Amino acid sequence: MDLSTLNEVQREAVEAIDGPILVVAGAGSGKTRVLTHRIANLIENYDIFPSGIMAITFTNKAANEMKTRIESLIGPVTSQMWVGTFHSICVRILRRDSDRIGYTSDFVIYDTQDQKALLKMCYKELNIDDKRTPLKTSQFKISAAKNDMLTPDLYEGRYGSDFREKGFIELYHLYQSKLKQNQAMDFDDLMLKTIELFKQNREVLTYYQNRFKYIHVDEYQDTNRAQYTLVQYLAAKSRNLFVVGDADQSIYKWRGADIRNIREFEDDFPGARIIKLEQNYRSKKNILDLANSVIANNPNRRDKNLWTDKEPGEKIGYYMAYDEKDEAKFVVEKIRTFTREREYKASDCAILYRTNAQSRSFEDNLMLNGMPYKVIGGLKFYERKEIKDILAYMKLVVNPSDDVSFQRVVNEPKRNIGAKTIEKLQAYQLERDCSLLECLPFVSEIEGIGAKASKGLTEFYGIIDRLKSKIETDFVTQIFDELLQSIGFIELYEAEKSVEADARIDNIYEFRTVIEEFEKRNEEPNLRDFLAETSLRSDQDNIEDQEDGVLLMTLHASKGLEFPVVFLVGLEDTLFPSFRATDDPEELEEERRLCYVGITRAEERLFVTHARNRNQYGRFEARHASVFLSEMDKALLENFSESRDSMNFETEKPEKKHNYFAQNALKSKQSFFGKPSASNAVTATDVSDEAERRYGAGTKINHKVFGPGLVITVDSDGETLTVAFDSCGIKKIHSGMAPIKRID
């Protein structure tokens, strides 16, 4: 096999055969190339049987790519090897020996939906209210426990003295016993049960330790405790463990990844050999130098410096926007220039952001300019469930005959209204020749609809009817706010306590910004016109994607990808890094690694942007430049901003230009088309003072979901409270929308 195509360090890694080996593979340094050549080298030059080699990856795509590359080097040998994901490897082991831990060999594997269905049964048996404790919350918590190798008994041993955990412990025990009863395992069980099998059956463990002499693990920095333990068991005898990873690209702590696994590799395997791949084949020199200048600020990292023999390339473009619309305009104009001059195709350009909600301003500007785009790893803004649900409510308020919107949201959130109830309504609808909504005042007359469903339908009708009466008098923002308060979406998603739910909340508040922008553009804004405008936008969204389109995605979704041109946007404190990193050094380090990942996605051109002001959570507020901007080597930046001193990040203290949230409080006191009178006018100061009187710093409150807490601060908008809750730490909530009561 020809190894001359490898650089000196890559070849050193490929020819390292025995003992534990950690390959620290910087971004774009050819880690997959090293892994596949190493496996091929073992077979061809060292006569290692393919059946004695295991290679573990995180995705099926990565496993298939690995197989293809190995076979291109030495022919069809991968069928004899074990190359697959952690889960697929565990399934193979369990199919052979699961009877030793009380399972048949044909046990079933429950996916997310199956898991939900089983949890529903447990909820019913334990009389748990899924509105107070959403299924997703329990799913997430069970998964986190299993990834941390905590069985129900171990979890109870650790947290049993905490009365707040009593309900979950009972649920976890019941859920796990029902899985066993059904001869089923969920995805996390596959790992946990394999470890259990090895612990309880020495001969089984010995069999696999003897069989697999050489074990390879890709993306080792992303392993959780269970995955780490599995690898430790398999490699304990031969110690021929070859892991590839980069602690600087560890960005999945929220998913259970433990960076200590790669940082402490030498402690786990004394005498381990460390090989660093630092030559990057992807990016121009200026891009790598910028990445190095940022990541160097993380303490306790393994010394590594990416370099390339490519030319420096263009400087990194820097732009300070006035607000998120100006930011989107700058980015889209740059892309238009690139495509017009045929320097790059639209699909060569990627816009990377921290949260999904940020995509909206870029989508709007791309649509305005007739440019095709694709949202990778997520839905387009107006296709997201929470947005479609709110739009369906609004459509029904304007048009009671909209049966499609009715069926979408009549049981969203849950109101005990099932398919049979809808069938009864439809039968009654045919008799009366009216819409489904118009049937609801007569629900007591409809035979076969139970008391719970009848109550839910009556409540639903009340919400729509109440909002319908306000179409002619209230601003769209007022209708939106009352709708949210009535249906409780924010509280519902807050109760889930998951990353996905947080993203949904961000999207809902971003949608409020859409409404505010509509009201500012129109002299006589109303709900009908807003829905008409939004429908045109969402219809444009649904136009079939052309092959050549600008790529939009979160920074997490960009991992493993590369693009000729990258726009890294929204570099503002509390956005990127996120607000969670404000007082948590570990969170800040992970956010910095995420920034490093974003920078190193760029091959030829990179632009970094931020806004001095941003509409967020229904407010237009001043923003501070991200700490990551202050860490970038300014000699590498080219300023595209109008302000020449805009790169003075350390001293920049932007002033608040507007507070549209407070302005909306002003609107709410006036008639729809009239001006405020002296008697009902209210100012931003009034709003703030009134909130201070209700919920000043030091006020004790009780939240319907989070329980008791203490108000730390009240923002200048007068409505956003920072609260320290006993149960879940510090959170920001909106006093006008959150279900809170003052405790005197």
Side-chain angles (χ1 to χ4, degrees), residues 146-180:
K146 290 183 177 182
N147 286 337
D148 207 23
M149 295 180 59
L150 293 175
T151 62
D153 287 337
L154 289 173
Y155 194 94
E156 184 172 8
R158 182 178 292 186
Y159 300 110
S161 60
D162 187 341
F163 74 94
R164 293 171 297 186
E165 295 287 350
K166 183 181 176 184
F168 173 73
I169 290 169
E170 190 177 12
L171 172 68
Y172 191 9
H173 274 291
L174 181 61
Y175 170 77
Q176 207 58 30
S177 83
K178 283 187 178 292
L179 278 174
K180 184 74 175 288

Side-chain angles (χ1 to χ4, degrees), residues 117-386:
L118 188 62
L119 276 171
K120 279 184 180 178
M121 294 180 197
C122 296
Y123 270 40
K124 188 173 182 181
E125 195 169 319
L126 297 173
N127 198 27
I128 298 173
D129 182 1
D130 64 354
K131 290 178 182 175
R132 187 169 180 80
T133 309
L135 287 169
K136 283 187 178 179
T137 301
S138 296
Q139 276 183 298
F140 176 81
K141 202 165 181 179
I142 288 171
S143 179
K146 290 183 177 182
N147 286 337
D148 207 23
M149 295 180 59
L150 293 175
T151 62
D153 287 337
L154 289 173
Y155 194 94
E156 184 172 8
R158 182 178 292 186
Y159 300 110
S161 60
D162 187 341
F163 74 94
R164 293 171 297 186
E165 295 287 350
K166 183 181 176 184
F168 173 73
I169 290 169
E170 190 177 12
L171 172 68
Y172 191 9
H173 274 291
L174 181 61
Y175 170 77
Q176 207 58 30
S177 83
K178 283 187 178 292
L179 278 174
K180 184 74 175 288
Q181 182 183 326
N182 293 349
Q183 285 293 296
M185 298 184 197
D186 60 26
F187 283 122
D188 297 310
D189 272 335
L190 298 175
M191 199 83 55
L192 213 55
K193 294 299 178 184
T194 303
I195 293 168
E196 181 184 325
L197 175 66
F198 287 167
K199 277 183 178 177
Q200 296 180 8
N201 297 271
R202 188 71 196 179
E203 67 276 21
V204 175
L205 175 59
T206 301
Y207 168 79
Y208 286 105
Q209 288 177 337
N210 288 337
R211 172 170 178 176
F212 294 109
K213 302 288 188 184
Y214 292 89
I215 297 164
H216 305 75
V217 185
D218 192 12
E219 303 285 10
Y220 193 66
Q221 78 278 354
D222 293 335
T223 53
N224 59 32
R225 188 182 174 195
Q227 292 159 342
Y228 163 84
T229 303
L230 181 73
V231 171
Q232 294 281 314
Y233 270 120
L234 289 169
K237 189 171 183 179
S238 71
R239 296 186 83 245
N240 291 329
L241 176 62
F242 187 92
V243 304
V244 180
D246 180 10
D248 287 340
Q249 296 186 73
S250 179
I251 59 173
Y252 296 117
K253 180 184 174 186
W254 53 274
R255 212 162 63 185
D258 190 341
I259 195 172
R260 291 175 300 178
N261 296 345
I262 191 167
R263 279 182 176 169
E264 299 172 7
F265 188 78
E266 297 104 313
D267 297 335
D268 296 328
F269 295 92
R273 187 171 175 184
I274 311 299
I275 301 170
K276 297 179 187 177
L277 301 181
E278 297 174 293
Q279 183 175 359
N280 176 285
Y281 292 91
R282 176 189 300 157
S283 307
K284 296 289 180 70
K285 184 178 183 300
N286 281 342
I287 294 170
L288 294 184
D289 288 347
L290 192 82
N292 288 329
S293 70
V294 172
I295 200 63
N297 291 276
N298 264 3
N300 306 316
R301 60 183 287 270
R302 197 182 298 271
D303 185 42
K304 179 176 91 285
N305 196 61
L306 283 183
W307 64 275
T308 183
D309 56 12
K310 291 187 176 185
E311 69 228 29
E314 301 281 347
K315 284 191 173 186
I316 285 72
Y318 162 78
Y319 185 72
M320 181 184 71
Y322 173 72
D323 59 13
E324 73 277 4
K325 288 187 287 185
D326 183 34
E327 181 182 43
K329 182 182 177 184
F330 169 77
V331 169
V332 174
E333 282 182 354
K334 275 290 169 193
I335 295 172
R336 286 187 69 194
T337 300
F338 288 147
T339 55
R340 190 167 53 242
E341 296 176 359
R342 300 186 182 278
E343 193 173 349
Y344 296 103
K345 297 182 297 183
S347 57
D348 289 333
C349 303
I351 303 172
L352 309 183
Y353 37 77
R354 180 64 182 83
T355 67
N356 272 310
Q358 289 171 258
S359 76
R360 200 269 307 174
S361 58
F362 297 98
E363 290 186 54
D364 283 354
N365 205 291
L366 287 162
M367 285 190 287
L368 184 67
N369 284 279
M371 296 191 71
Y373 69 92
K374 300 174 185 178
V375 179
I376 307 299
L379 293 171
K380 292 182 177 180
F381 184 78
Y382 294 101
E383 292 175 359
R384 292 168 190 164
K385 178 186 181 302
E386 56 279 10

Side-chain angles (χ1 to χ4, degrees), residues 501-547:
D502 286 349
R504 291 191 190 282
I505 293 170
D506 285 348
N507 291 334
I508 289 171
Y509 283 124
E510 181 64 22
F511 189 57
R512 193 185 197 283
T513 301
V514 174
I515 298 172
E516 288 175 345
E517 290 175 358
F518 165 79
E519 289 181 341
K520 282 184 276 181
R521 286 195 308 272
N522 293 273
E523 289 185 12
E524 298 182 355
N526 62 75
L527 184 57
R528 295 183 186 88
D529 290 346
F530 172 72
L531 289 174
E533 182 178 297
T534 307
S535 294
L536 290 174
R537 287 187 186 183
S538 52
D539 282 347
Q540 285 177 304
D541 263 354
N542 292 326
I543 295 172
E544 184 134 1
D545 284 328
Q546 299 176 31
E547 195 167 324

Side-chain angles (χ1 to χ4, degrees), residues 614-632:
R614 186 173 293 272
N615 267 301
Q616 195 174 21
Y617 305 132
R619 304 190 309 278
F620 188 78
E621 59 183 15
R623 311 291 295 186
H624 290 266
S626 169
V627 62
F628 303 146
L629 283 169
S630 68
E631 294 169 353
M632 293 177 182

Side-chain angles (χ1 to χ4, degrees), residues 60 94 186 193 204 401 463 508 538 543 554 574 607 679 694:
N60 289 317
L94 289 168
D186 60 26
K193 294 299 178 184
V204 175
S401 300
I463 292 169
I508 289 171
S538 52
I543 295 172
T554 64
T574 73
F607 293 83
S679 61
R694 285 184 295 151

